[in-house]
Amino acid sequence: MPKPRPPMLNEPVDPDVDLRAPVRRKGLPPRQGPVVAAVALGGGVGAAARYGAALLWPTEPGGFPWTTLVVNVVGCAIIGIFMVVITDVWAAHRLVRPFFGTGVLGGFTTFSTYAVDIQRLLAQGRTGAGLAYLALTLAAALTAVWITATLTRRVVEWRQQ
């Protein structure tokens, strides 16, 4: 068993960490490299698609961020379809979900831009618009996932009859 390293002077110590425990090996666990690469590649594709949407339908300065709202809702709707398809219909390759679900759709949908948009609306004194955007995005995104997952399951059941 390797000797535990003593804490450095003036270094903060997390009380939940046992310093007597051996230091874990650095790096990715075995077989995780392809998963990380799939997520990264998919994330780049999704982020590029979101950027393209922002170029096609730019939000005017001081305007309501409709493009981000639509991107997030569309992305969530696709997530609803995708999750049903890969869990109920298709035994996908182990990298499909990380590439498309986490990568592409994770890069396409954007919580960070949503948060910045809310902050900008509030900073402009548009509290009502900021709160409406916050609630509308949340409600529409969750509803989109629920509706598309439900409809996809019904279509799958109907086709299997």
Side-chain angles (χ1 to χ4, degrees), residues 26-104:
K26 295 189 186 219
L28 294 173
R31 296 180 29 106
Q32 289 301 309
V35 174
V36 172
V39 171
L41 182 62
V45 170
R50 177 174 27 95
Y51 179 69
L55 290 178
L56 287 172
W57 303 288
T59 299
E60 296 295 324
F64 192 83
W66 288 107
T67 302
T68 304
L69 175 87
V70 170
V71 161
N72 284 335
V73 172
V74 167
C76 287
I78 295 169
I79 287 170
I81 296 166
F82 175 69
M83 293 309 294
V84 171
V85 169
I86 67 164
T87 57
D88 297 356
V89 178
W90 178 42
H93 185 276
R94 74 179 191 95
L95 295 178
V96 170
R97 185 173 178 170
F99 172 77
F100 190 74
T102 305
V104 174

Side-chain angles (χ1 to χ4, degrees), residues 7 11-19:
E11 183 179 10
V13 177
D14 185 342
D16 296 329
V17 174
D18 182 4
L19 294 175

